[in-house]
Amino acid sequence: MDSFEELAVVRAEALAALEETENIAALRDWEKAYLGRKGKVTLQIRAIGKLPPAQRPAFGKEVNQVKQELAVLYAEAEKSLKRAEIARRLAASAVDVTLPGRPAISGHLHLTTQTLRQIYAIFAQLGFEVYESPDVELESYNFDLLNIPAYHPARDMWDTFWVDDKRLLRTHTSPGQIRVMRERTPEPIRVILPGKCYRYEQITARSEHQFYQVEGLAVGRQVSMTDLIGTMHQFAELFYGEGRQIRVRSSYFPFTEPSIEVDTDCILCGGEGCPICKYTGWLEIAGAGMVHPVVLENGGYNPDEWSGFAFGMGVERPSMMKYGVEDIRLFYGNDLRFLRQF
Ligand code: DAH
């Protein structure tokens, strides 16, 4: 086989092999095998020097043409393989515009916030403004000034989280009464005092160690028990629905005299007796009473000239009754399956 024939074989072999390359890696191998430093075509070029001088120009021309031809084919193959690769990637990441969209879930107010706002709206209608007092409270405001001295057995009613020996996390919203009176004295007052309260208590389905209360305070020249009962009845009707009855029971709180507890007829059974009202027919809505003269005086109001009523109600309990929630722990457990229902 002369060198021309040999070159024709190499060329034919290269063309056939090129047909077989299916990806870039295989193409690079092909280039190395024929056009690389030790490639078959390159070796043909090197062999020119061993030919008889007369054959060299013709063979040199021929071999250069083959090299050129293969280089062009290589460049074309590279381009089309790259294009195919891009097409493949695009196809893999294609978006199916016919798929239905995913609904975006929007948040909403927490059940407690919703209930608080209902309560604010009801009392705003009755002329009460919202007054906020601190969560970290002085012992004197939380107890002493509310007529609960250190030796008083009523302190047992409030298990306390102490911050230090003078400060504590308020166990009820009642200390706000003293704060408003001291700030406003001596003018008539009609406020509600909402806020979180804290008690060092066992957590159960019925009691949390953090919960909301809304305190109410009305002070004036002739505020009476009738005003208190009327206010409570209005609240029951506006919060639980028209036609609600209320019932007043005598009770005891150190900061009110006389003290009462206010119930409304059960919203579920209307008084027949059911699990929500524990078969009593009544639901507790607030502790209340006429502001104790000592408390008025501690607030800077002369009890001979001024009188007032006060009440304190829970927030989670009424929403539990209204919506049939059976476990108070659900409120702050952050389980969205619960929260989204309201
Ligand atoms: N502070 C009381 C408690 O936490 C609730 C209360 C009762 C508030 C009677 C009042 C009231 O203002 O007059 O249990």
Side-chain angles (χ1 to χ4, degrees):
M1 204 164 28
D2 72 11
S3 46
F4 284 93
E5 283 166 353
E6 224 172 88
L7 180 62
V9 169
V10 169
R11 178 178 171 272
E13 189 193 308
L15 291 176
L18 185 62
E19 288 287 308
E20 309 273 286
T21 58
E22 274 168 355
N23 54 48
I24 294 280
L27 184 66
R28 303 255 184 267
D29 289 344
W30 177 89
E31 198 235 0
K32 205 172 153 199
Y34 293 97
L35 304 173
R37 228 161 30 87
K38 288 179 186 160
K40 289 184 178 171
V41 175
T42 315
L43 294 180
Q44 294 284 325
I45 294 170
R46 293 224 186 111
I48 293 175
K50 291 181 191 146
L51 290 177
Q55 282 180 23
R56 288 181 194 168
F59 184 77
K61 197 176 162 201
E62 184 79 13
V63 81
N64 265 320
Q65 254 166 22
V66 170
K67 188 188 164 188
Q68 278 289 299
E69 180 193 9
L70 293 182
V72 168
L73 289 174
Y74 170 78
E76 277 169 6
E78 187 185 37
K79 214 187 271 175
S80 74
L81 279 174
K82 276 188 179 163
R83 223 179 273 140
E85 174 64 24
I86 288 170
R88 210 172 19 249
R89 270 196 234 146
L90 280 179
S93 67
V95 173
D96 181 353
V97 294
T98 66
L99 279 176
R102 291 189 196 128
I105 296 159
S106 56
H108 65 72
L109 296 177
H110 190 278
L111 175 56
T112 301
T113 311
Q114 292 182 39
T115 307
L116 278 166
R117 290 190 181 183
Q118 284 168 24
I119 297 174
Y120 300 164
I122 290 169
F123 283 105
Q125 244 175 289
L126 303 177
F128 287 76
E129 60 178 307
V130 172
Y131 184 95
E132 296 202 61
S133 70
D135 288 38
V136 178
E137 196 38 286
L138 293 167
E139 174 187 17
S140 56
Y141 279 78
N142 196 82
F143 292 123
D144 306 75
L145 295 167
L146 289 169
N147 200 29
I148 321 172
Y151 58 80
H152 199 290
R155 282 215 183 184
D156 294 347
M157 283 162 71
W158 297 278
D159 297 306
T160 309
F161 282 115
W162 289 91
V163 175
D164 53 36
D165 57 2
K166 286 266 167 293
R167 284 173 301 173
L168 45 78
L169 298 181
R170 65 172 169 209
T171 58
H172 52 173
T173 42
S174 304
Q177 291 187 29
I178 303 289
R179 291 190 177 271
V180 199
M181 285 193 278
R182 289 196 168 177
E183 187 188 285
R184 303 278 165 97
T185 184
E187 22 170 87
I189 295 174
R190 225 185 305 172
V191 292
I192 51 169
L193 307 125
K196 220 185 244 173
C197 302
Y198 309 82
R199 289 193 197 163
Y200 187 48
E201 265 183 12
Q202 183 71 34
I203 298 171
T204 67
R206 286 184 56 78
S207 65
E208 259 287 1
H209 59 202
Q210 291 182 38
F211 54 92
Y212 279 86
Q213 278 189 348
V214 175
E215 187 90 7
L217 175 70
V219 182
R221 299 272 175 192
Q222 254 137 35
V223 174
S224 70
M225 182 63 99
T226 322
D227 299 319
L228 170 58
I229 293 171
T231 304
M232 292 292 96
H233 189 215
Q234 277 287 302
F235 172 76
E237 287 212 308
L238 292 168
F239 187 78
Y240 288 114
E242 236 171 273
R244 288 265 78 88
Q245 304 283 310
I246 62 160
R247 163 177 95 162
V248 166
R249 285 177 290 126
S250 129
S251 183
Y252 172 74
F253 299 102
F255 33 87
T256 44
E257 181 57 37
S259 302
I260 58 172
E261 245 156 284
V262 186
D263 302 336
T264 186
D265 55 333
C266 180
I267 51 167
L268 196 71
C269 64
E272 300 278 300
C274 71
I276 288 213
C277 60
K278 296 208 217 105
Y279 301 95
T280 62
W282 295 94
L283 301 173
E284 214 178 287
I285 54 175
M290 299 308 293
V291 182
H292 197 290
V294 167
V295 175
L296 282 172
E297 219 162 82
N298 289 340
Y301 283 71
N302 178 354
D304 295 331
E305 287 173 40
W306 299 88
S307 61
F309 70 71
F311 60 84
M313 55 175 67
V315 175
E316 291 87 353
R317 287 265 169 80
S319 26
M320 287 168 78
M321 295 189 279
K322 201 163 167 180
Y323 300 107
V325 178
E326 277 166 3
D327 193 325
I328 197 170
R329 290 170 291 196
L330 288 166
F331 280 73
Y332 309 112
N334 278 339
D335 186 335
L336 290 176
R337 290 170 304 180
F338 170 74
L339 297 173
R340 281 192 186 130
Q341 294 176 57
F342 304 100

